[in-house]
Amino acid sequence: MPPLTPAIVELAGRQHRRGEAASRLLLQTRAIAFVEGYELRRRTRRNDVHAELARIRPDNRGFAYEGAALAAALADLATPRRGQRRYGLGSSDTHLGSLLAGPGTGFVHLIHVGAGWSAALLPWRMLHRRLPLDSLLRWLAVDGAGFSRGFFGGPRWIRRLAHRPDREDPVQAVLCQGVGRSLWFVECGDGAGLGRHIERFPPGLRRELWAGVGLAASYAGGGTDRQIEQLLTLGGEDRAALAQGAVFAAEAQRTAGHIPAHTEAAVSAFTGVSAHTAADWARDSYEFARALGSEIESYRWWQCEIRSRATAVAD
């Protein structure tokens, strides 16, 4: 696995918007935590990595687990497997499986997202075949692939993506959610800049991008009161998608055992309910979605169910 340095996630070096100083500093800290987690997993024996990750402050630990997941996924993908043996979630036979075990269960969402970063190098279908992913959460890996491409590709790549042919493709929709998350970093939380990028996309994909923005704004934070108010001017399906992203953030933070103040504030603003109630929306419909099957349509049903709940509260 190649080493990573903090310079690779330097926001200013990628033509990302400089934004307000406090927002930029916090988002840069989140990105550096990702690199720190990657390096910890790269240098540390798989059974010891959880103790090292536990030293990272709670607000940044999820990002560190995301980086560690990329390192573990690359190690698994580079390891020859005999035949077509299937590995279960959390299997200690794999690098990613050992990361998902023990304390890693609290970061199951971020680990799936981090594994998806490897799709920048390999087809996402290979990830689904080769890695020990959850049957439903594995679609978060596609979201992770979208984030990595948007973050590293920057504004120019995102503009090119916006002009690709529009088609009814659920995988493209989930990929765009990851791109939406990256936009929060690319635009440093600036609502006007976010809107300009998203308006270039076909109407059917805009709500998916806003879902990613809602997740990033709620999970990573970095938004000022003014920036959050800019997002609250959204209406209709875009507003429901923004809320759905916030709900996913609430569930990921609660699963990790720590809901930061910035997540509570953003989730409350976007959904109209507390972060704990929003997390209940995700958890209540998760098992039903799993029962529908492992294909992406089940994952999309899960998201649509959450958007319906958010719409009902708004009405």
Side-chain angles (χ1 to χ4, degrees):
M1 291 177 290
L4 296 181
T5 65
I8 200 171
V9 293
E10 177 66 39
L11 299 183
R14 298 193 166 277
Q15 298 184 334
H16 292 189
R17 183 182 295 274
R18 296 190 65 82
E20 300 190 27
S23 298
R24 183 176 70 254
L25 178 61
L26 187 141
L27 293 175
Q28 186 68 76
T29 300
R30 306 296 196 222
I32 290 173
F34 176 92
V35 173
E36 186 177 359
Y38 176 93
E39 285 296 305
L40 282 173
R41 179 60 194 86
R42 192 177 71 86
R43 300 192 308 262
T44 308
R45 289 177 15 179
R46 67 170 78 175
N47 294 332
D48 298 333
V49 70
H50 292 295
E52 295 299 320
L53 290 166
R55 301 177 189 272
I56 297 174
R57 55 179 290 182
D59 282 10
N60 288 331
R61 197 174 299 151
F63 296 93
Y65 263 95
E66 187 178 351
L70 171 59
L74 290 176
D76 282 333
L77 292 168
T79 303
R81 300 291 179 204
R82 293 182 179 179
Q84 296 295 318
R85 180 179 176 185
R86 298 285 295 180
Y87 292 89
L89 184 68
S91 169
S92 60
D93 292 335
T94 64
H95 297 276
L96 191 65
S98 66
L99 188 66
L100 281 160
T105 59
F107 300 92
V108 61
H109 306 89
L110 276 297
I111 291 173
H112 279 76
V113 170
W117 282 59
S118 57
L121 304 173
L122 299 165
W124 63 265
R125 291 180 180 83
M126 181 178 291
L127 273 60
H128 283 190
R129 290 196 305 268
R130 293 285 307 278
L131 299 178
L133 303 175
D134 178 84
S135 61
L136 186 63
L137 296 182
R138 65 189 179 126
W139 298 106
L140 284 170
V142 177
D143 184 304
F147 181 93
S148 65
R149 294 173 187 177
F151 184 91
F152 289 114
R156 185 176 301 175
W157 181 87
I158 293 169
R159 285 194 294 269
R160 289 203 303 269
L161 177 67
H163 291 97
R164 289 182 182 176
D166 186 20
R167 61 185 188 277
E168 292 290 332
D169 181 0
V171 173
Q172 183 184 35
V174 174
L175 186 81
C176 280
Q177 290 171 21
V179 174
R181 284 195 303 115
S182 75
L183 276 172
W184 183 251
F185 286 77
V186 169
E187 290 297 319
C188 207
D190 181 77
L194 290 164
R196 283 193 295 271
H197 273 292
I198 292 174
E199 282 300 314
R200 295 188 179 101
F201 281 78
L205 292 177
R206 292 172 193 165
R207 67 184 69 101
E208 311 307 334
L209 292 153
W210 284 120
V213 169
L215 201 163
S218 302
Y219 191 92
T224 63
D225 291 343
R226 179 184 61 81
Q227 290 168 330
I228 296 299
E229 288 172 3
Q230 284 180 311
L231 298 180
L232 291 176
T233 61
L234 294 173
E237 292 183 345
D238 291 342
R239 178 68 178 270
L242 187 78
Q244 175 251 301
V247 168
F248 269 36
E251 171 62 353
Q253 295 280 29
R254 189 173 69 173
T255 301
H258 173 68
I259 299 181
H262 70 262
T263 298
E264 183 66 59
V267 171
S268 177
F270 295 151
T271 67
V273 300
S274 71
H276 279 283
T277 299
D280 285 340
W281 291 356
R283 194 162 296 183
D284 290 347
S285 50
Y286 172 72
E287 290 301 335
F288 192 88
R290 279 175 61 92
L292 292 176
S294 61
E295 297 308 311
I296 196 168
E297 287 75 17
S298 302
Y299 181 78
R300 295 289 287 153
W301 178 90
W302 186 29
Q303 294 183 323
C304 290
E305 175 65 16
I306 292 170
R307 295 181 191 187
S308 297
R309 295 194 183 199
T311 300
V313 169
D315 292 342

